[in-house]
């Protein structure tokens, strides 16, 4: 494996994977999500828990928000699989580990993980090293977005059927894209088979974020800018719903971070609670 063939995932993907692992290492049960496989894939240095962005107390809200959205998506996948949807597409898959952690559900589906070619080659290599491999129902789909690659064309080339319903998921991506690019993606997905569903996260404008969470949001923005991947797009919930309906979705609804907090964190003795700032669009064709 040479540097030209593969490159490690970006720092954001690694951070998300490590936060999921931190949840089971530092937060008491019940755990909203149990995922240590992402940490194994990333193989961080032995002192990774001493990183400033892993501080158990200072980053607890972000950690909780990450595991809440991941758990919500997995519940959605299970629901859709039970109603007969057999195709699951993860856009910007990063270090997603659903296929490795939940094979009893994933093996009932055709799972398509879409990401840049370098990180996809890296992940394929790491899955082999760890003994997971890539089963025939899991497709790691490399798409060079920067070169104008079409993810739908690449999906079709490896067996995705646009004529059958699918669940499409995109988390932690829209803040890095222009609104025009997100609108174009929405139009593509809205054109899929009736009964298809999209779950997509989006960042709220600062004025809609809870006061206590604004310093953390500003710190995230500064960190993203410093790493060369600035946040460029924010959406009020009504604006995102309008964008989805204009793209052609038959139905669109807003799932707030507060709803996820109530669903997965109510009554915890430790007071762990997701930070606000990121909500979900759930839309169907």
């Amino acid at each position: 494996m040479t540097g030209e063939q593969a490159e490690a995932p970006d720092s954001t993907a690694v951070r998300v994977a490590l936060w999921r692992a931190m949840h089971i290492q530092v937060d008491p049960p019940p755990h909203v999500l149990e995922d240590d496989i992402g940490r194994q894939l990333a193989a961080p240095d032995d002192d990774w828990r001493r990183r400033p962005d892993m501080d158990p107390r200072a980053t607890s809200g972000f950690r909780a928000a990450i595991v809440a959205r991941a758990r919500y998506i997995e519940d959605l996948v299970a629901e859709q699989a039970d109603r007969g949807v057999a195709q699951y597409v993860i856009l910007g898959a990063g270090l997603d580990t659903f296929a490795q952690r939940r094979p009893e559900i994933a093996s009932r589906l055709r799972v398509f993980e879409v990401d840049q070619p370098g990180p996809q080659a890296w992940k394929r290599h790491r899955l082999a090293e760890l003994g997971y491999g890539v089963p025939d129902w899991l497709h790691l789909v490399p798409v060079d977005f920067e070169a104008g690659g079409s993810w739908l064309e690449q999906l079709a080339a490896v067996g995705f059927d646009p004529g059958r319903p699918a669940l499409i998921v995109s988390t932690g991506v829209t803040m890095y894209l222009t609104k025009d690019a997100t609108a174009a993606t929405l139009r593509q997905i809205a054109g899929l088979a009736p009964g298809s569903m999209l779950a997509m996260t989006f960042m709220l404008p600062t004025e809609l974020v809870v006061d206590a969470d604004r310093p953390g949001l500003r710190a995230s923005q500064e960190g993203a800018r410093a790493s060369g991947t600035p946040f460029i797009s924010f959406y009020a919930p009504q604006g995102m719903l309008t964008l989805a309906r204009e793209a052609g979705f038959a139905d669109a609804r807003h799932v707030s971070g507060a709803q996820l907090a109530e669903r997965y964190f109510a009554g915890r003795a430790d007071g762990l609670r997701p930070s606000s700032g990121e909500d979900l669009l759930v839309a169907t064709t």
Side-chain angles (χ1 to χ4, degrees):
M1 183 177 68
T2 70
E4 292 180 350
Q5 296 171 320
E7 58 187 73
D10 64 32
S11 60
T12 300
V14 172
R15 185 180 302 113
V16 167
L18 297 183
W19 274 338
R20 294 197 303 256
M22 282 286 286
H23 178 54
I24 58 176
Q25 292 193 14
V26 304
D27 299 324
H31 294 127
V32 176
L33 186 86
E34 296 189 357
D35 181 10
D36 191 55
I37 296 175
R39 180 198 61 80
Q40 295 172 38
L41 285 169
D45 295 336
D46 291 342
D47 63 351
W48 67 273
R49 282 184 49 171
R50 291 192 285 273
R51 291 170 36 166
D53 60 353
M54 292 296 127
D55 183 282
R57 186 168 298 176
T59 64
S60 64
F62 292 124
R63 180 171 71 248
I66 289 298
V67 297
R69 81 180 188 193
R71 172 63 183 275
Y72 179 80
I73 293 299
E74 294 200 4
D75 287 351
L76 203 59
V77 175
E79 291 170 9
Q80 293 299 299
D82 285 346
R83 62 177 283 265
V85 173
Q87 300 184 110
Y88 174 34
V89 179
I90 310 169
L91 298 178
L95 292 176
D96 190 276
T97 60
F98 170 75
Q100 291 74 47
R101 289 180 299 102
R102 303 298 302 276
E104 75 282 3
I105 300 174
S107 62
R108 296 160 50 195
L109 307 165
R110 301 196 73 181
V111 180
F112 302 86
E113 295 190 12
V114 179
D115 213 331
Q116 294 281 359
Q120 284 290 57
W122 178 94
K123 187 174 186 180
R124 185 181 296 275
H125 178 79
R126 289 294 294 141
L127 287 172
E129 284 186 328
L130 292 172
Y132 291 105
V134 181
D136 57 9
W137 44 262
L138 174 61
H139 305 272
L140 303 184
V141 187
V143 178
D144 191 344
F145 296 102
E146 294 176 1
S150 168
W151 60 273
L152 272 177
E153 289 180 4
Q154 293 297 322
L155 283 178
V158 295
F160 177 78
D161 184 352
R164 299 178 61 197
L167 172 62
I168 315 290
V169 165
S170 173
T171 59
V173 175
T174 57
M175 71 280 271
Y176 301 112
L177 304 177
T178 65
K179 292 187 178 181
D180 285 347
T182 294
T185 299
L186 289 171
R187 287 193 296 271
Q188 288 177 304
I189 298 171
L192 295 176
S196 294
M197 175 178 285
L198 165 70
M200 173 184 280
T201 62
F202 59 93
M203 294 291 291
L204 299 174
T206 304
E207 64 270 19
L208 296 183
V209 176
V210 174
D211 287 350
D213 293 334
R214 291 182 184 180
L217 176 60
R218 284 193 290 269
S220 294
Q221 292 174 333
E222 291 166 4
R225 189 180 303 111
S227 65
T229 54
F231 297 170
I232 61 176
S233 295
F234 301 84
Y235 302 87
Q238 191 56 51
M240 179 55 82
L241 290 173
T242 298
L243 206 61
R245 290 168 182 144
E246 289 177 346
F249 282 96
D251 179 70
R253 58 189 172 94
H254 166 228
V255 178
S256 69
Q259 288 174 280
L260 298 187
E262 185 60 30
R263 179 169 177 171
Y264 298 117
F265 291 86
R268 288 187 66 97
D270 61 355
L272 184 65
R273 194 87 173 170
S275 58
S276 60
E278 184 181 68
D279 287 0
L280 275 151
L281 165 73
V282 179
T284 53
T285 57

